[in-house]
Amino acid sequence: MDKKYDKIAFEFESAWKNITPEVQKEIFLFAEKYKEFLNHGKTERECIKQIIQRAKEKGYQDIQDIIKDGGPLSPGTKIYANNRGKSAALFVIGKEPIEKGMHIVGTHVDAPRLDLKPFPLYQDGELAFLKTHYYGGIKKYQWTTIPLALHGFIINKEGKTIEISIGESEEEPVFYITDLLPHLAEKQYQKKLKEGITGEELNVLVGSIPYREEDIENPIKYNILQLLHAKYGIEEKDFLTAEIEVVPAGKARDIGFDKGLIGAYGQDDRVCSYSALMAIFDVEEPSKTVAAFFVDKEEIGSVGNTSMQSRFFENVIAELIAIQSEPFHYLKVQRSLTSSKVLSGDVGAAFDPNFPEVFDQRNTAFSGKGVLICKYTGARGKSETNDANAEFLAEIRKIFEENHICWQIGELGKVDAGGGGTIAYIFGNYGADVVDCGTPVLSMHAPMEVVSKVDLYMTYKAYQAFFNASK
Ligand code: MN
Ligand code: MN
């Protein structure tokens, strides 16, 4: 190959090839801490709880206290805002007024799962089950015959909050969804994969021993109610005022002889959430205010009062500007948002050699090639996507290259192969500059998703460089 060609031709390379043994060590250490975060964050509430807890330890103050005291908002002030325990925003106040714009990384903490229906418990065929309604885009058959855990938040009739987590430690039981034995699956085999297991078949097996002290109807169901009442003080009616999520049981694991990959539930999008959290914790006195948003409900279309579409984030920014610059005018909020630069931190699809037909190999992300920039997502001719501007892409490219970030660019599959969305367009609607930038994932939305440790680390480094670029 002649040198002239080398200079102008380009291909993204394996990130592993470009790091030193010392950095590799750092990557593996970072991955261990990330796995801990995943193990304690199986639901959006558990993630936000960890985020707020850690923020407090790092000296972040509750925005409610700042509002009460009317400030001060000096450069370097660290603030958190908690939205109903399901979404949150962290800020480090910059030297310039917030009105001049911010550097924001937005990620989501919700993940596909099975939610219990409001009236879930029943007995059938000498077994007890819980009815579920799935949340987000799942391949339903993947959720059968694997160990499951229950993570719940219940408010009983006295108004007391009861938090439950059953199935994560070795001593605890797990839960389970049955599938048909192959011997009797002749008809099931004929169905389309999508219909092989239906939503109403995702019933979670939770018991099998009848209550024996009295002769009653549905003694197995009653026995379960007895156990729940004894342990948590809850009654059947309390399910109506509960949020109980069924998630894969167990901890994050290394994958492969070389331990280069992490297998765990909920890495979409907690890999970006954790990276954003660690990156903002590195920020001390930025020039422009930096912010990390952790949102809920992305997987169901970013709707509702804890989602990116809720006014929560806008309101928090308005509160901060009202304290920072008198006289307050709402235009300042609009100015701040339209002048902001945003990385929409969400995962993308990594090339899967088992299914090469859905990827354009020249324009796909690969596991191990670093943090992924996705110019647009969408489906059917880029519909409903944020398509990032060349100017902003050039800015991000410069930041990443100056900071030696291993990065790559990739589409979510072949044209018309399918598609997806993120929270990017919502920032775009505010007028901010935004691009999707996150970690490539294998088996996205499966009970166990796979991420490369070097990609995780480069995601963190990329967000850190982006925050630092506000100087
Ligand atoms: Mn996502
Ligand atoms: Mn997703």
Side-chain angles (χ1 to χ4, degrees), residues 128 145 208 370 406 451:
T145 69
S208 57
C406 299
V451 154

Side-chain angles (χ1 to χ4, degrees), residues 344 374-389 410-412 418-429 434-436:
S344 163
C374 199
K375 187 178 187 297
Y376 46 83
T377 54
R380 305 173 310 280
K382 297 190 177 181
S383 72
E384 290 170 14
T385 184
N386 167 75
D387 197 345
N389 297 337
E411 276 190 340
L412 186 76
T422 65
I423 59 172
Y425 76 94
I426 305 162
F427 286 107
N429 289 347
V434 52
V435 66
D436 278 298

Side-chain angles (χ1 to χ4, degrees), residues 108 110 267-269 298-299 345-348 421-422 444-445:
H108 68 92
D110 62 318
Q267 300 200 76
D268 171 9
D269 180 35
E298 192 278 340
E299 295 293 358
D346 208 344
V347 299
T422 65
M444 199 192 293
H445 286 202

Side-chain angles (χ1 to χ4, degrees), residues 351 356-366 411-415:
F351 175 72
E357 64 279 6
V358 298
F359 299 95
D360 166 10
Q361 289 196 43
R362 289 185 191 86
N363 285 284
T364 191
F366 289 84
E411 276 190 340
L412 186 76
K414 265 186 183 164
V415 177

Side-chain angles (χ1 to χ4, degrees), residues 64-175:
Q64 296 307 332
D65 296 333
I66 302 260
I67 293 168
K68 226 184 288 157
D69 302 342
L73 282 190
S74 38
T77 302
K78 294 167 180 168
I79 298 159
Y80 72 86
N82 180 348
N83 184 11
R84 297 170 167 85
K86 291 181 174 186
S87 71
L90 265 51
F91 296 87
V92 183
I93 302 300
K95 292 177 202 123
E96 289 180 44
I98 298 169
E99 185 188 342
K100 298 279 180 199
M102 297 171 283
H103 276 213
I104 303 168
V105 177
T107 68
H108 68 92
V109 290
D110 62 318
R113 58 177 190 257
L114 309 176
D115 286 339
L116 292 198
K117 291 193 185 192
F119 207 71
L121 185 61
Y122 70 99
Q123 175 179 339
D124 197 359
E126 300 300 311
L127 299 166
F129 294 93
L130 294 168
K131 296 289 301 175
T132 66
H133 194 138
Y134 66 97
Y135 171 98
I138 61 164
K139 290 168 99 174
K140 299 179 190 83
Y141 68 86
Q142 292 181 333
W143 290 72
T144 63
T145 69
I146 59 167
L148 299 167
L150 293 184
H151 289 246
F153 184 91
I154 305 158
I155 298 169
N156 69 10
K157 65 180 175 204
E158 284 87 36
K160 205 178 136 220
T161 299
I162 302 141
E163 285 180 65
I164 63 168
S165 162
I166 314 163
E168 298 295 353
S169 77
E170 292 274 308
E171 321 74 75
E172 289 168 353
V174 293
F175 305 95

Side-chain angles (χ1 to χ4, degrees), residues 2-22:
D2 78 71
K3 276 185 186 150
K4 230 176 177 178
Y5 175 84
D6 252 5
K7 256 187 198 158
I8 55 166
F10 173 74
E11 258 175 57
F12 289 110
E13 283 188 328
S14 165
W16 290 114
K17 282 208 288 194
N18 292 310
I19 54 156
T20 60
E22 291 75 52

